[in-house]
Amino acid sequence: MSNKTIPYKIYLEESEMPRAWYNLRADMVNKPAPLLDPVTHKPMTQEDLSGVFCDELIRQELDETNAYIEIPQEIRDFYRMYRPAPLVRAYCLEKKLQTPAKIYYKFEGNNTSGSHKLNSAIAQAYYAKKQGLKGVTTETGAGQWGTALAMACSYFDLDCKVFMVKCSYEQKPHRREVMRTYGASVTPSPSAETEVGRKIRAEFPDTNGSLGCAISEAVEMASKTDGYRYVLGSVLNQVMLHQSIIGLETMAAMDKYDIKPDVIIGCAGGGSNLGGLIAPFMGRKIKGELDCKFIAVEPVSCPSFTRGTYAYDYCDTGMICPLSKMYTMGSSFIPAATHAGGLRYHGMNSTLSQLYDDKLMEAVAVKQTEVFAAAEYFARIEGTLPAPESSHAIKVAIDEALKCKETGEEKTILFGLTGTGYFDMMSYEKFHNGVMQDYIPTDEELSAAIAKLPKIEK
Amino acid sequence: MSNKTIPYKIYLEESEMPRAWYNLRADMVNKPAPLLDPVTHKPMTQEDLSGVFCDELIRQELDETNAYIEIPQEIRDFYRMYRPAPLVRAYCLEKKLQTPAKIYYKFEGNNTSGSHKLNSAIAQAYYAKKQGLKGVTTETGAGQWGTALAMACSYFDLDCKVFMVKCSYEQKPHRREVMRTYGASVTPSPSAETEVGRKIRAEFPDTNGSLGCAISEAVEMASKTDGYRYVLGSVLNQVMLHQSIIGLETMAAMDKYDIKPDVIIGCAGGGSNLGGLIAPFMGRKIKGELDCKFIAVEPVSCPSFTRGTYAYDYCDTGMICPLSKMYTMGSSFIPAATHAGGLRYHGMNSTLSQLYDDKLMEAVAVKQTEVFAAAEYFARIEGTLPAPESSHAIKVAIDEALKCKETGEEKTILFGLTGTGYFDMMSYEKFHNGVMQDYIPTDEELSAAIAKLPKIEK
């Protein structure tokens, strides 16, 4: 450990910011399994994917050999508007917990989208623009990804069409208006604009919509509209690649002060933030340069790692997207309507799934009531009001720090604070009023969804 | 101008952060007029004010001689959790406007309260705690000040009682929940908890409340409850003193890169942000060390500087607070229900009023529709979604930059971006839907309110 005094917040200089993303897959011994065609079950090629996704993004999705991929200057220019994100030393939290542990968090909430999602949104918008496209389509649930993409498209003057799950569209009008401020068109899903939307509306006139349906609408719209492609904010390896900026900045900041993390903690939904935060540290661990524990935190209501199965499954509920080998609850599993919308995904990024299967990473599942208690505790002590998703990591970081208090170990704990909770106050209200419940799926529910997994011949 | 490349964001090192606030009054030739007792019309003394305000804060309020007042270590520790605030070079905006002007803004929105209000809230909470008080009371309209005070009181484990204007309490439940997250009790005003509240409820059972009434309730509660004092987020000179941290950080960052502002712009409601931003620059101007233009921007709906009168007036609608000599519309003037709640104040800080009267500062009034157009334009180009209040400064900064485009002048423009607009999306929605209106008070309305000003014998 160096003798330099560690400030409350470590900001890199602009000249110290990463110039390339890190592609962890290149350094992995066991590579993640390839995406398969949902019909033929054969590995997807560049050509197979090009009708739906942008060309350069497909190349990144399939690239398992290049460890570093240069960040184009235009994207670095945009990054400089809201990055570097601070690496914060949680001095106040340490003091309050009376722990000998040293706690750090990388804070990704200081941009208008309110989360790390912008790191990949700007990259995806850039490649779409470079390919000469007119626009992109996507779905959004809670709205963080839709907001990030709207901001990115606005910057590159690209059309942005967001299908927003109908109940969110109605319940979260504020999110909707942020997207409109950035010029995106926001359509409640299911809509009358797509075949799949019209079909669902005819069949279920009172439906509130679902993420699965919104994905299907966005994919249909992209594949049927000239000059449009579909983009996705999590799950894919291209997203994890872009999100490596989180880990790279964190590592550069820690290296500057000779700080070595003993434990790294992140919340896990589709895996984009966790994958991005841990990537370069995991690379060092694989090369034997770092001894560090990695913990994925998921909600007990949607426990892909801790109670799921490692198998090929559809990435979407509509079963039109490629198959990915991952820890999954089964694409037919419908997570309870908890207050961490960003973690309500049935599966997990394939790279993280492989790391977990190789026992390079651990996972724990936590209840939302204890997550909100940790969130409020953290807000009062460290000032920042966290998003419910991020608060999963806070909960486990506090638990780890309290273990150190018992054992006297001076561990260095790092966690990802992915976003702010400004648009989640109705969830906080439920917590304040004591009416928040926990949901734990039964074994029967899980078995039923697993039984519906696609059968793949080996 | 130095040859150093200017980054997108200039962050001071922790060691470069100001250790003392700057008290502009000490360097002013014409001092602001003293506060007067609302009944006797005699200058208020330390003793007169001590039943309502904290002792040390009264000393700061009355101090016209000490140019620098040390910031206590505990407050500096808290500042380090969310400060230094970045000084941003608006490269993207300059490019889009094709202006030769260099545009900078000091961004105060990167903290959970969402605005600069926290700078004074933490100071006021600290002095209350140090005096051994149990708690403080205050009022809040839009909720920025209430949120900031709730955060500050939570940090010092001080009770925080917020009277929130009833219609805001109902229309802005998100703001209310942020305050509750920080442990504040939030009461819709008028309430049954105070005499004045009960009286108003009996007289007007259907009232939506007003800021004037909420102030009266908070003052009554503080003066009648053992161990409590009343605190205020704007207008007072103590607040302007604490807010000088904005200008001091900005000046330190500019000095580092040899940048000299030609124009400094800030929105003006009660004056806390504008006063804080300009204070040290105005000090240099008074001493002949800087040639710079200062512009206060106010809404046409509440134009204290541009259409008000320089006279003694009540600080509150209830006429129980001290009299202050200021540019005012008259304390009986009720501004239209515009979307920049933070600028809906009938008067202006006394120091700023004196500077304006001495022609050391200019003022312009702008319409809210053009303010929202500027806000959306700025959000799309610079990323950050601004608060409606802050967007008044954006509008005029853009106007100044466009003037430079015409004349070819390479002026350096600095403005204050005081906060974010996350809790103002319903206002943005009205703008998007084309149903936002402008309000301009008639000459008759203004004369009627001015006629009710208190008569002070000279």
Side-chain angles (χ1 to χ4, degrees), chain A residues 169-362:
Chain A
Y169 182 90
E170 285 162 2
Q171 284 168 11
K172 295 200 157 190
H174 295 205
R175 272 282 184 206
R176 183 185 75 211
E177 289 308 318
V178 181
M179 290 185 260
R180 286 180 76 195
T181 300
Y182 287 93
S185 80
V186 187
T187 308
S189 167
S191 76
E193 295 185 26
T194 65
E195 252 177 59
V196 62
R198 287 189 293 272
K199 195 177 150 204
I200 292 173
R201 281 154 63 110
E203 215 167 324
F204 310 99
D206 297 327
T207 180
N208 280 321
S210 73
L211 209 50
C213 168
I215 293 179
S216 303
E217 286 207 279
V219 170
E220 181 188 321
M221 178 66 76
S223 54
K224 288 189 178 167
T225 316
D226 218 32
Y228 280 71
R229 291 292 185 284
Y230 168 69
V231 295
L232 185 61
S234 189
V235 185
L236 298 175
N237 284 318
Q238 59 185 264
V239 178
M240 183 169 155
L241 173 73
H242 307 146
Q243 295 297 356
S244 70
I245 188 85
I246 304 173
L248 290 165
E249 276 186 12
T250 305
M251 197 155 82
M254 288 192 143
D255 284 351
K256 245 176 116 164
Y257 288 88
D258 288 336
I259 305 162
K260 283 194 183 17
D262 298 301
V263 190
I264 303 181
I265 300 162
C267 63
S272 72
N273 129 71
L274 176 69
L277 175 66
I278 70 170
F281 295 99
M282 184 62 83
R284 282 190 180 172
K285 178 170 177 161
I286 289 170
K287 292 178 201 156
E289 296 166 8
L290 178 72
D291 181 23
C292 176
K293 184 164 86 168
F294 299 88
I295 307 178
V297 189
E298 53 188 20
V300 289
S301 56
C302 194
S304 319
F305 276 137
T306 51
R307 295 178 72 196
T309 301
Y310 191 35
Y312 266 108
D313 193 9
Y314 298 97
C315 289
D316 63 322
T317 320
M319 301 190 285
I320 55 173
C321 289
L323 296 170
S324 174
K325 190 174 178 191
M326 55 185 177
Y327 274 84
T328 179
M329 323 281 301
S331 67
S332 66
F333 175 78
I334 297 171
T338 62
H339 298 282
L343 306 183
R344 290 182 67 231
Y345 183 66
H346 67 275
M348 188 58 65
N349 165 275
S350 65
T351 300
L352 292 177
S353 294
Q354 184 63 49
L355 293 169
Y356 184 68
D357 204 57
D358 287 341
K359 310 227 179 321
L360 285 162
M361 187 169 69
E362 303 172 17

Side-chain angles (χ1 to χ4, degrees), chain B residues 60-303:
Chain B
Q60 294 178 356
E61 190 64 35
L62 302 178
D63 186 344
E64 295 186 342
T65 50
N66 295 298
Y68 289 93
I69 293 173
E70 200 188 320
I71 307 173
Q73 184 62 48
E74 291 89 336
I75 299 174
R76 285 170 49 210
D77 284 346
F78 188 87
Y79 277 168
R80 283 193 288 178
M81 286 211 289
Y82 72 100
R83 308 196 68 82
L87 176 66
V88 186
R89 173 76 183 266
Y91 281 117
C92 296
L93 182 61
E94 290 171 16
K95 197 174 158 189
K96 194 82 175 184
L97 292 172
Q98 296 182 287
T99 175
K102 291 165 187 66
I103 309 175
Y104 293 85
Y105 57 92
K106 180 70 168 173
F107 181 43
E108 290 287 325
N110 273 350
N111 70 73
T112 287
S113 80
S115 82
H116 67 293
K117 294 281 183 186
L118 196 52
N119 301 332
S120 183
I122 193 63
Q124 298 195 43
Y126 168 78
Y127 291 116
K129 184 75 183 179
K130 209 180 158 204
Q131 195 175 322
L133 298 174
K134 285 184 211 153
V136 292
T137 69
T138 200
E139 76 291 332
T140 202
Q144 287 191 331
W145 167 245
T147 307
L149 191 66
M151 289 177 68
C153 287
S154 167
Y155 185 74
F156 284 123
D157 201 15
L158 204 62
D159 193 31
C160 178
K161 191 148 189 59
V162 181
F163 288 91
M164 188 169 187
V165 178
K166 193 178 159 210
C167 63
S168 296
Y169 182 90
E170 284 161 4
Q171 285 168 10
K172 294 200 158 191
H174 296 208
R175 271 282 183 205
R176 183 187 74 210
E177 289 307 319
V178 180
M179 290 184 260
R180 286 181 73 196
T181 299
Y182 286 93
S185 81
V186 187
T187 306
S189 168
S191 76
E193 294 184 26
T194 65
E195 251 176 62
V196 61
R198 287 189 293 272
K199 195 176 152 205
I200 291 173
R201 279 153 64 109
E203 214 166 326
F204 310 99
D206 298 327
T207 180
N208 282 320
S210 73
L211 208 51
C213 167
I215 293 177
S216 303
E217 286 207 280
V219 171
E220 181 188 321
M221 178 67 76
S223 55
K224 289 189 177 168
T225 316
D226 217 32
Y228 280 71
R229 291 293 185 284
Y230 168 71
V231 295
L232 185 61
S234 189
V235 185
L236 298 176
N237 284 320
Q238 60 186 262
V239 178
M240 183 167 156
L241 174 72
H242 306 146
Q243 295 296 356
S244 70
I245 188 85
I246 304 173
L248 290 165
E249 276 187 12
T250 305
M251 197 154 81
M254 289 192 142
D255 283 351
K256 244 176 118 166
Y257 288 88
D258 288 336
I259 305 162
K260 286 198 178 19
D262 298 300
V263 190
I264 302 181
I265 301 161
C267 63
S272 71
N273 130 72
L274 176 69
L277 174 66
I278 71 170
F281 296 99
M282 184 62 83
R284 282 190 179 171
K285 179 169 178 163
I286 289 170
K287 292 177 201 157
E289 297 165 9
L290 177 73
D291 181 22
C292 176
K293 183 164 87 169
F294 299 88
I295 307 176
V297 188
E298 56 188 18
V300 289
S301 56
C302 194

Side-chain angles (χ1 to χ4, degrees), chain A residues 8-9 14 83 177 182 383, chain B residues 8-9 14 83 182 383:
Chain A
Y8 277 60
K9 295 191 276 355
E14 270 184 18
R83 308 196 67 82
E177 289 308 318
Y182 287 93
Chain B
Y8 276 62
K9 295 190 275 355
E14 269 183 19
R83 308 196 68 82
Y182 286 93

Side-chain angles (χ1 to χ4, degrees), chain B residues 318-432:
Chain B
M319 302 190 286
I320 57 175
C321 290
L323 296 170
S324 175
K325 190 174 179 191
M326 54 185 178
Y327 273 85
T328 180
M329 323 281 299
S331 67
S332 65
F333 175 78
I334 297 171
T338 62
H339 298 282
L343 306 184
R344 289 182 66 232
Y345 183 68
H346 67 275
M348 188 60 67
N349 164 277
S350 66
T351 300
L352 292 177
S353 295
Q354 184 64 51
L355 293 170
Y356 183 69
D357 204 57
D358 286 341
K359 308 224 178 331
L360 286 163
M361 187 169 67
E362 304 173 17
V364 293
V366 292
K367 293 179 186 168
Q368 66 172 350
T369 48
E370 58 189 12
V371 164
F372 272 83
E376 185 160 289
Y377 183 79
F378 180 82
R380 292 186 183 185
I381 293 163
E382 284 286 319
T384 298
L385 180 80
E389 290 83 357
S390 326
S391 304
H392 285 67
I394 294 175
K395 160 68 183 150
V396 173
I398 290 175
D399 288 349
E400 288 289 317
L402 290 175
K403 279 185 214 161
C404 289
K405 188 176 173 179
E406 274 181 33
T407 62
E409 287 173 289
E410 294 185 20
K411 281 189 186 171
T412 295
I413 299 168
L414 164 68
F415 71 90
L417 187 65
T418 54
T420 51
Y422 300 123
F423 293 99
D424 298 287
M425 295 322 296
M426 292 302 93
S427 305
Y428 273 92
E429 183 178 22
K430 282 200 177 151
F431 175 70
H432 294 150

